[in-house]
Amino acid sequence: VEFWLKKVDFALTATKKEVIFDIHTTSSISSSADYGRLRIEMSGHGVGTNTTSPFYVTYMSGTTGISNQNIGSSLTTSSIADDSWHHYAFRFKNTGSNIVTDLFVDGAHNHRVTTGTTINYISGTIVGTIGALTTHPSGAAGPPQANKGWGKLSGSVDEFRYWKVWRTSEQIQTRWFDQV
């Protein structure tokens, strides 16, 4: 998943998390084997402390995968919400018994996390949104009515790209500034 993001600040009073991208299967519940979800979101929780990256990812197949995994090295709320355009690229793949998640910022590799458990192939009807939730997050604390449209992103997104294949570091680093 790649996109350009311009953000002025974090809307802390409006929402705890701001969803950038959320897709999930519609025909199953989160505990079933054919459930799938990919969500990229941010939280302004680090405002004032700036100790944790604002980015979180969820990549699930049934009950396996990663959920609300923090990713990003030396990223802070102020480095993301600086009123400038930045390019972010996330990539995911099974490796051994874990999932590798990489984050690139403005074409440079920023952070790699290897954790969770491998996921299986997902098929069926998949729905998605950019800038808000598609449905209530599985196992999430918070209002039970948090549904489609909640977790609204306060910012601008441009040139969103969703790839169905693993992009190499070279592809991301040399093509991040080009239009597709």
Side-chain angles (χ1 to χ4, degrees), residues 141-161:
Q145 70 274 21
N147 215 328
K148 185 175 183 178
W150 280 62
K152 288 185 176 121
L153 175 65
S154 173
S156 299
V157 174
D158 198 10
E159 295 185 35
F160 185 89
R161 306 170 189 175

Side-chain angles (χ1 to χ4, degrees), residues 22 24 35 37 39 133-148:
D22 187 21
H24 76 97
Y35 172 80
R37 186 153 205 169
R39 186 173 64 245
L133 287 173
T134 58
T135 191
H136 192 281
S138 172
Q145 70 274 21
N147 215 328
K148 185 175 183 178

Side-chain angles (χ1 to χ4, degrees), residues 35-48:
Y35 172 80
R37 186 153 205 169
L38 172 59
R39 186 173 64 245
I40 300 171
E41 58 194 342
M42 295 183 297
S43 175
H45 69 315
V47 171

Side-chain angles (χ1 to χ4, degrees), residues 2-175:
E2 298 180 55
F3 54 89
W4 286 87
L5 175 69
K6 182 178 182 182
K7 190 159 180 52
V8 175
D9 60 11
F10 281 82
L12 298 175
T13 57
T15 185
K16 289 185 180 183
K17 290 195 175 177
E18 297 181 43
V19 177
I20 296 167
F21 177 60
D22 187 21
I23 60 172
H24 76 97
T25 54
T26 60
S27 60
S28 56
I29 59 172
S30 61
S31 60
S32 67
D34 57 348
Y35 172 80
R37 186 153 205 169
L38 172 59
R39 186 173 64 245
I40 300 171
E41 58 194 342
M42 295 183 297
S43 175
H45 69 315
V47 171
T49 60
N50 293 325
T51 59
T52 305
S53 169
F55 285 112
Y56 290 85
V57 294
T58 296
Y59 185 44
M60 299 292 293
S61 167
T63 58
T64 63
I66 55 176
S67 180
N68 295 310
Q69 174 64 50
N70 188 248
I71 187 167
S73 176
S74 301
L75 293 177
T76 64
T77 53
S78 58
S79 69
I80 291 173
D82 64 354
D83 200 19
S84 296
W85 285 102
H86 294 283
H87 181 267
Y88 299 96
F90 294 81
R91 65 181 184 180
F92 309 86
K93 82 172 178 179
N94 288 332
T95 182
S97 61
N98 299 117
I99 296 174
V100 168
T101 306
D102 286 310
L103 170 61
F104 293 77
V105 179
D106 293 334
H109 187 263
N110 177 274
H111 194 207
R112 171 173 275 190
V113 175
T114 303
T115 190
T117 53
T118 58
I119 67 163
N120 296 316
Y121 177 77
I122 304 295
S123 65
T125 304
I126 297 175
V127 297
T129 55
I130 296 173
L133 287 173
T134 58
T135 191
H136 192 281
S138 172
Q145 70 274 21
N147 215 328
K148 185 175 183 178
W150 280 62
K152 288 185 176 121
L153 175 65
S154 173
S156 299
V157 174
D158 198 10
E159 295 185 35
F160 185 89
R161 306 170 189 175
Y162 176 78
W163 302 95
K164 291 174 31 175
V165 297
W166 173 265
R167 303 266 294 156
T168 67
S169 295
E170 182 180 354
Q171 287 172 319
I172 294 171
Q173 293 169 336
T174 60
R175 309 304 287 183

